[in-house]
Amino acid sequence: MKKKRLSFRQKLLVAGTLFGMFFGAGNLIFPVHLGQLAGRNIIPAMFGFIITAVGLPILGVAAIGNTHSEGLQSLADKVGKRYSYAFTCLLYLTIGPFFAIPRCATTSFTAGILPMLGDFGSETLALFIFSLVFFVCVLFFSLRPANITVWIGKIINPIFLLFLAVLVIAALMNPGTAVFSVEPDPSYQSHVLYSAIIEGYGTMDAIAGLAFGIVVIDIVRRMGIQEDSDVSGQVLQSGIMTGVLMALIYALMILMGAQSRGLFELSENGGIALAQISRYYLGGAGSIVLAVTITFACLKTSIGLVTSCSETFLRMFPKTCSYKTWAILFTTFSFCISNVGLSAIINYSLPVLMLLYPLSITLILMALFGKLFHHDKHVYVSVTAFTFIAAVFDFLKALPESLQIRFHLGNILKLAENTLPWFHLNLGWVAPAAVGLIFGLLLCHRKRA
């Protein structure tokens, strides 16, 4: 039987939609800031960032398609039903109303709108008004999920890319300094690759890849591809196209950030750096260009996240709320959280990401290479259990220092430092995951013997 395939134009549309959902707040602020931090060590920084900000997200989408899963829950069900519910809820709430969606609105305001306000009025009131308008737009588009390829792929994406291109080209044509003359920040003097890998966590794209899989699969099916094997192949091809575009943009933005050190001091975050760069190169119009660029980037990602969260919770709890109700709940909660401010959202999201990322990475890899061990449940459970235990220590290490002191975590973290290889690189989960894999394979072999 001949396989059904998408046309090249359809693949571009799917890839554009996927790119639009991925490329949001963190994708703009983190690579620029990374460039400023890395300085002349920009090459290993690029590789490390692209591993977690491009490679893992695309592998996450591919994992959903490769296992013919209908979404993250069915993929995580290979570990256990209760685990699948808990992990899916935590992951979607993290990239949804708890952190990622509110961060989109707050980043848009902080980097795009706030610089134009000057001393005019109250910043708190301005954030409230902006986030209200922002989430009204998000809800409008999210309540029409069947048109997501039109909203994101055909309308919002081109506008965003046009304004981003204006800013990047203007900066790269007139660099502030030669990259290799920029002194790296002390945190990027050594272990640059590993530091950049962790920096890529901030985009949340690896866990978003698992979440967006359900949306992409639905899009492909609506285009007439129904066989699971055909769907997985088309999803992977579209994902690769998305990854190439993302990697190119990241490389250019990291370069732009590094070159800006000849003009500005190291900024507190990438949002401030973007504002400085846009004003320097584009003058008064720079603030408008940045505001439009970052607002459209965050708007399209928020639409994708609200849509993914709502569709997932509808499938998980079909007898509770309708899709419309879930979308309204997630949008309203995100609006409330967004008004606590960007710094608070970033600070409290990092520990959760340090817990979720190892579990997501191991799940993705097991899904992709599961045929080698026949997707045996012993392997899934063993790897996940060992990874989770180690990831808890990474979670504790990433907590704000005030909380570490309050809960007397010093001795626990010292024990982890002395016990877990690469814990100082925030990769303390790698060795336990490998031990879990060996143990799971032994159990698998024993069962088949």
Side-chain angles (χ1 to χ4, degrees):
M1 183 177 178
K2 187 177 180 181
K3 288 187 175 183
K4 292 196 67 175
R5 302 177 185 275
L6 298 177
S7 66
F8 181 73
R9 183 177 180 181
Q10 287 176 315
K11 289 178 185 177
L12 279 179
L13 186 56
V14 175
T17 303
L18 186 57
F19 168 82
M21 292 189 295
F22 272 135
F23 215 92
N27 310 79
L28 286 169
I29 63 178
F30 285 104
V32 174
H33 191 54
L34 174 60
Q36 290 193 327
L37 289 167
R40 62 170 175 263
N41 293 331
I42 188 174
I43 300 301
M46 280 183 182
F47 277 108
F49 190 82
I50 288 174
I51 287 172
T52 45
V54 178
L56 287 178
I58 302 308
L59 290 179
V61 174
I64 299 292
N66 185 58
T67 54
H68 310 310
S69 301
E70 288 300 316
L72 174 60
Q73 186 190 359
S74 62
L75 179 60
D77 196 46
K78 297 180 183 298
V79 180
K81 183 167 286 293
R82 291 182 179 178
Y83 176 82
S84 70
Y85 271 88
F87 181 68
T88 302
C89 286
L90 180 58
L91 186 144
Y92 272 92
L93 291 174
T94 298
I95 65 164
F98 283 2
F99 298 115
I101 300 176
R103 188 180 71 180
C104 284
T106 311
T107 301
S108 300
F109 174 79
T110 302
I113 304 301
L114 187 59
M116 293 191 296
L117 295 180
D119 298 326
F120 177 76
S122 167
E123 179 179 333
T124 302
L125 178 61
L127 173 59
F128 178 87
I129 296 172
F130 173 81
S131 58
L132 178 62
V133 175
F134 182 91
F135 282 111
V136 166
C137 294
V138 169
L139 184 60
F140 173 82
F141 291 118
S142 299
L143 290 178
R144 297 157 178 81
N147 295 323
I148 192 169
T149 54
V150 176
W151 304 132
I152 294 180
K154 292 184 177 180
I155 299 175
I156 301 178
N157 252 354
I159 297 174
F160 159 69
L161 288 173
L162 173 63
F163 280 89
L164 180 63
V166 170
L167 176 59
V168 171
I169 291 173
L172 295 183
M173 288 183 66
N174 299 282
T177 187
V179 170
F180 295 103
S181 67
V182 178
E183 186 71 18
D185 183 77
S187 61
Y188 277 79
Q189 295 282 356
S190 60
H191 306 302
V192 179
L193 179 70
Y194 303 107
S195 298
I197 284 175
I198 301 304
E199 190 77 13
Y201 281 14
T203 65
M204 302 190 191
D205 278 349
I207 56 178
L210 291 170
F212 288 151
I214 184 175
V215 177
V216 178
I217 288 171
D218 285 345
I219 291 172
V220 171
R221 290 193 188 282
R222 284 199 292 268
M223 289 180 171
I225 310 297
Q226 299 300 325
E227 290 293 327
D228 287 342
S229 59
D230 295 342
V231 170
S232 63
Q234 299 307 300
V235 167
L236 179 58
Q237 290 179 32
S238 298
I240 291 173
M241 295 170 69
T242 302
V244 171
L245 178 59
M246 289 174 65
L248 174 62
I249 293 177
Y250 284 144
L252 294 176
M253 295 190 70
I254 292 172
L255 178 61
M256 181 175 71
Q259 292 177 342
S260 72
R261 284 293 302 279
L263 304 169
F264 314 108
E265 294 296 322
L266 176 65
S267 62
E268 182 181 346
N269 59 61
I272 296 173
L274 277 173
Q276 292 174 330
I277 293 169
S278 63
R279 283 198 301 270
Y280 178 84
Y281 286 105
L282 302 176
S287 296
I288 298 175
V289 170
L290 180 61
V292 173
T293 300
I294 202 165
T295 300
F296 274 92
C298 294
L299 178 64
K300 57 189 175 55
T301 296
S302 297
I303 295 168
L305 288 172
V306 170
T307 301
S308 298
C309 289
S310 302
E311 290 183 347
T312 298
F313 274 75
L314 178 63
R315 295 189 184 191
M316 291 176 65
F317 309 106
K319 297 181 180 180
T320 54
C321 301
S322 64
Y323 171 86
K324 180 179 180 179
T325 302
W326 282 119
I328 293 173
L329 286 173
F330 288 138
T331 304
T332 303
F333 190 83
S334 299
F335 164 69
C336 296
I337 296 296
S338 67
N339 281 270
V340 305
L342 181 59
S343 296
I345 293 173
I346 292 176
N347 289 338
Y348 285 98
S349 66
L350 182 59
V352 180
L353 293 177
M354 296 302 292
L355 176 68
L356 283 178
Y357 253 82
L359 296 172
S360 301
I361 292 170
T362 52
L363 183 61
I364 289 170
L365 294 177
M366 286 188 291
L368 291 174
F369 298 102
K371 289 183 179 179
L372 299 177
F373 55 87
H374 308 285
H375 289 285
D376 190 280
K377 190 168 185 175
H378 290 92
V379 178
Y380 277 92
V381 172
S382 179
V383 171
T384 301
F386 277 83
T387 303
F388 175 76
I389 294 171
V392 168
F393 291 104
D394 286 327
F395 168 83
L396 296 176
K397 181 183 177 181
L399 288 172
E401 187 176 352
S402 59
L403 292 180
Q404 293 185 22
I405 295 173
R406 180 183 301 176
F407 293 105
H408 308 288
L409 300 178
N411 290 332
I412 296 176
L413 295 177
K414 187 174 181 179
L415 174 64
E417 182 81 41
N418 295 331
T419 306
L420 297 174
W422 309 306
F423 183 72
H424 65 292
L425 299 175
N426 297 308
L427 296 172
W429 59 271
V430 174
V435 172
L437 175 62
I438 295 172
F439 186 66
L441 290 173
L442 290 175
L443 291 176
C444 177
H445 178 72
R446 181 179 178 184
K447 184 184 75 171
R448 295 178 180 277

